[in-house]
Amino acid sequence: MKKRVLSAILAGILLLLCACGGGRKASSAKAAAWDAPSWDESARLDDKYREWYEVFVWSFSDSDGDGVGDLNGLTEKLDYIRNLGCNGIWLMPVMPSPSYHKYDVTDYYDIDPQYGTMEDFRALLAAAHERGIRIIVDLPVNHTSSLHPWFLSAAEGPESPYRDYYVWSDSRADGYSEKNGAWYESRFVDSMPDLNLDNPAVREEIEAILRFWLEDVGVDGFRLDAVTSYYTGDRERNVEFLTWLGDAAHAIAPDCYLVGEAWDNLSAISAYAESSVDSFFLFPMSQSEGWVAKVLGLRNSRAGAMLGKYMTELQEALPSSIPAPFLENHDTGRTVGFTGRDDPARTKMAGGLLCMMPGSIFIYYGQEIGMVGSGDDPNKRIGMLWTTEKETTTPPPGVTKREYVYPSVSVQMKDADSILNYYRDALALRIRFPAIARGRTEVLPAEDERICLAVRSWEGESVLLAVNPSREDVTYELGNAGYPTLAASLFTGGEAVKLEGGTLTLPAYSIAVLTPD
Ligand SMILES: [Ca+2]
């Protein structure tokens, strides 16, 4: 209790520091604008280029006071997500499961009772669609729960009709666990037996699951869990299976969106992108080892040049798939871990760089308020901080560290210079300038390597993104580059972005969007 009070006081002090730090003048108009969406809700629901918000239902919003977040709680927060500027939601697993994270499913046709009912889910989906928000659900089919009826039967012996749904060995083997004298493949843990994806009966089951969620329930797609483990160590077969799965899903619902978790380097992701799955998460950009962390390195004198190089590499690696950039997710340390918990400007800039990336971007719940979390997985999945007093949900089992550095949503909403309002401004630019998400990138040579000049062009529209990810203020002679209008800007300190007579002033950690007219 004392710790909570102390952290609330610290949060308050921090807020004061942020507010007094010489940022923009606080604007009440901005705070009030949270009542309305920053984008057109009638935007096409079949559009795959979106701004996605990843939700761990357990820790997001609890509607019935039992301490566990639930679907009805999420429904209550749809306006928040919409008004933030996201028009898609990725739901971490919602199907029945014995674990708190629910990545080991026991029934692919229902909702875990901790989260609510199928009726609740249908109501959530309808409410989301009314607001122009798509919902994709997590689909773990590399493995099931060891309590799934298929496995309970399969484990009884070789005569079970479900025996070949899993992969068995007569002897001990790496990545296998023992049950009733036989060994089954279980690459993650023994409670997650790997499905035998070569078995046509298993593929029929998966196709039926796709059909149920896409046709009967009406979800907008899937996030595909652990795709590199489908056939462990065999990328070619993984791509073959993903193509089969992608074709099956698109045959049922041509506009559905599929994004795969291929936790690997860019060249591997490039190979996976050859499948018929729409997107793969851009792991090389994320976390403390990723591009964004490197670009924002404190002693980096070539921040802009590096950013340009990564953008070019990305485009060459993924010529025809939709990139899925992100900074953090439920398995990774949170962004504040590499931007610094005392450096809100750098934390904002990480978000700004994310929002300037092409493709469908993903924001993990709480990222937009600078939530922290690292180490044990449950630490990365703690309760959303809606109010500064305390989170509304019980910490997931196994949490070993739980703290909040920045103030809550309700406090940050009212502060024009908060991380939250920065994210909202940055997301709004993606809606206002569709070329940012959809366009091809041409990086222009810049004489000053601290900044990046990149043209993004799409269907006759083009914008020049001038980005200063360095810690230094930069004045740059743009001359007559063909983009004479400063249409929008994002900045994190006191000085504003300016364009005067071809001279562009880009303060530390700032972004300018320039247009041809
Ligand atoms: Ca609840």
Side-chain angles (χ1 to χ4, degrees):
M1 190 64 200
K2 271 182 185 162
K3 266 189 186 163
R4 297 296 320 152
V5 173
L6 183 65
S7 68
I9 292 169
L10 284 174
I13 291 171
L14 216 116
L15 174 70
L16 282 173
L17 286 174
C18 294
C20 303
R24 286 168 290 167
K25 293 277 189 299
S27 131
S28 56
K30 174 167 294 192
W34 271 94
D35 295 340
S38 60
W39 49 276
D40 180 5
E41 294 171 275
S42 64
R44 287 167 41 208
L45 266 176
D46 60 356
D47 189 351
K48 295 185 181 187
Y49 283 86
R50 304 187 94 79
E51 288 65 47
W52 297 90
Y53 191 82
E54 179 191 357
V55 171
F56 178 41
V57 176
W58 179 296
S59 286
F60 196 61
S61 176
D62 177 23
S63 70
D64 59 8
D66 69 354
V68 176
D70 43 55
L71 297 176
N72 290 338
L74 171 57
T75 303
E76 290 170 4
K77 298 298 185 185
L78 285 176
D79 284 340
Y80 166 76
I81 294 170
R82 175 195 63 179
N83 295 354
L84 172 63
C86 289
N87 52 16
I89 293 173
W90 155 25
L91 282 182
M92 284 167 61
V94 293
M95 302 164 196
S97 164
S99 67
Y100 83 87
H101 52 70
K102 311 199 191 299
Y103 275 100
D104 43 344
V105 175
T106 52
D107 179 359
Y108 287 98
Y109 296 91
D110 207 346
I111 296 293
D112 191 292
Q114 282 190 307
Y115 287 176
T117 65
M118 189 56 85
E119 284 306 293
D120 296 340
F121 187 90
R122 290 177 192 273
L124 165 67
L125 192 61
H129 286 173
E130 270 172 32
R131 291 163 174 79
I133 296 172
R134 295 187 101 182
I135 292 184
I136 60 172
V137 293
D138 223 310
L139 187 66
V141 291
N142 171 66
H143 50 262
T144 68
S145 165
S146 57
L147 298 178
H148 193 288
W150 298 339
F151 187 75
L152 292 177
S153 169
E156 284 173 6
E159 66 289 346
S160 161
Y162 293 99
R163 185 70 167 182
D164 291 337
Y165 273 38
Y166 299 88
V167 185
W168 296 89
S169 165
D170 292 334
S171 57
R172 180 189 297 271
D174 211 27
Y176 282 63
S177 307
E178 191 269 336
K179 182 88 178 179
N180 297 336
W183 297 80
Y184 62 92
E185 188 184 8
S186 54
R187 299 285 175 168
F188 287 96
V189 288
D190 57 5
S191 60
M192 296 183 176
D194 282 48
L195 281 166
N196 175 9
L197 300 176
D198 276 339
N199 184 344
V202 169
R203 294 200 182 197
E204 272 178 39
E205 297 275 11
I206 292 173
E207 194 170 349
I209 293 163
L210 296 174
R211 188 173 297 282
F212 171 75
W213 285 95
L214 291 170
E215 270 186 3
D216 187 349
V217 183
V219 299
D220 301 297
F222 300 98
R223 179 264 186 186
L224 304 172
D225 181 53
V227 308
T228 58
S229 299
Y230 286 162
Y231 297 91
T232 303
D234 192 337
R235 188 184 301 161
E236 207 171 303
R237 290 170 86 198
N238 289 334
V239 170
E240 179 276 325
F241 181 75
L242 284 164
T243 297
W244 171 83
L245 196 158
D247 288 349
H250 290 129
I252 297 164
D255 298 325
C256 77
Y257 176 68
L258 304 174
V259 55
E261 182 205 17
W263 196 330
D264 211 326
N265 60 35
L266 190 58
S267 94
I269 290 170
S270 174
Y272 281 108
E274 295 293 310
S275 71
S276 58
V277 166
D278 301 290
S279 284
F280 288 88
F281 291 115
L282 203 53
F283 277 90
M285 176 180 168
S286 68
Q287 314 166 77
S288 56
E289 305 301 314
W291 303 347
V292 168
K294 287 195 173 82
V295 166
L296 295 178
L298 289 177
R299 283 178 288 281
N300 189 359
S301 60
R302 303 185 61 246
M306 279 173 67
L307 176 63
K309 175 176 153 284
Y310 290 135
M311 281 185 184
T312 304
E313 283 177 5
L314 170 62
Q315 182 161 278
E316 286 169 359
L318 301 175
S320 57
S321 103
I322 303 170
F326 73 104
L327 298 176
E328 62 182 62
N329 70 21
H330 61 283
D331 286 325
T332 74
R334 284 197 180 263
T335 305
V336 172
F338 67 81
T339 56
R341 49 183 64 206
D342 55 352
D343 199 343
R346 195 147 65 116
T347 301
K348 289 176 188 170
M349 193 61 197
L353 293 178
L354 173 64
C355 290
M356 291 305 111
M357 293 299 286
S360 261
I361 62 168
F362 284 76
I363 292 171
Y364 184 43
Y365 81 95
Q367 177 182 334
E368 75 277 21
I369 56 169
M371 272 172 55
V372 299
S374 60
D376 297 324
D377 280 343
N379 301 354
K380 305 159 184 166
R381 305 165 185 175
I382 60 172
M384 180 72 173
L385 198 65
W386 295 106
T387 64
T388 303
E389 298 310 311
K390 70 186 276 288
E391 69 267 43
T392 59
T393 53
T394 307
V399 166
T400 53
K401 194 168 187 186
R402 175 171 132 265
E403 58 175 340
Y404 298 91
V405 174
Y406 289 104
S408 65
V409 169
S410 61
V411 171
Q412 291 200 34
M413 272 184 174
K414 294 174 196 136
D415 172 12
D417 291 322
S418 65
I419 296 170
L420 178 60
N421 273 315
Y422 180 91
Y423 262 91
R424 189 167 189 265
D425 290 347
L427 284 162
L429 295 185
R430 295 179 71 81
I431 307 294
R432 190 171 152 203
F433 304 102
I436 293 175
R438 294 140 209 270
R440 285 190 59 78
T441 305
E442 184 198 353
V443 175
L444 305 181
E447 283 165 25
D448 191 322
E449 292 197 313
R450 293 173 296 178
I451 68 166
C452 173
L453 300 174
V455 172
R456 204 63 66 66
S457 306
W458 177 70
E459 290 195 350
E461 180 203 343
S462 71
V463 294
L464 172 62
L465 304 176
V467 182
N468 178 7
S470 85
R471 298 174 79 203
E472 294 164 15
D473 298 345
V474 172
T475 303
Y476 190 79
E477 289 307 323
L478 203 54
N480 183 15
Y483 294 85
T485 305
L486 176 59
S489 64
L490 292 166
F491 49 97
T492 60
E495 205 191 331
V497 174
K498 280 185 298 205
L499 178 63
E500 288 166 340
T503 301
L504 183 63
T505 302
L506 284 174
Y509 298 143
S510 68
I511 295 170
V513 182
L514 298 100
T515 54
D517 39 39

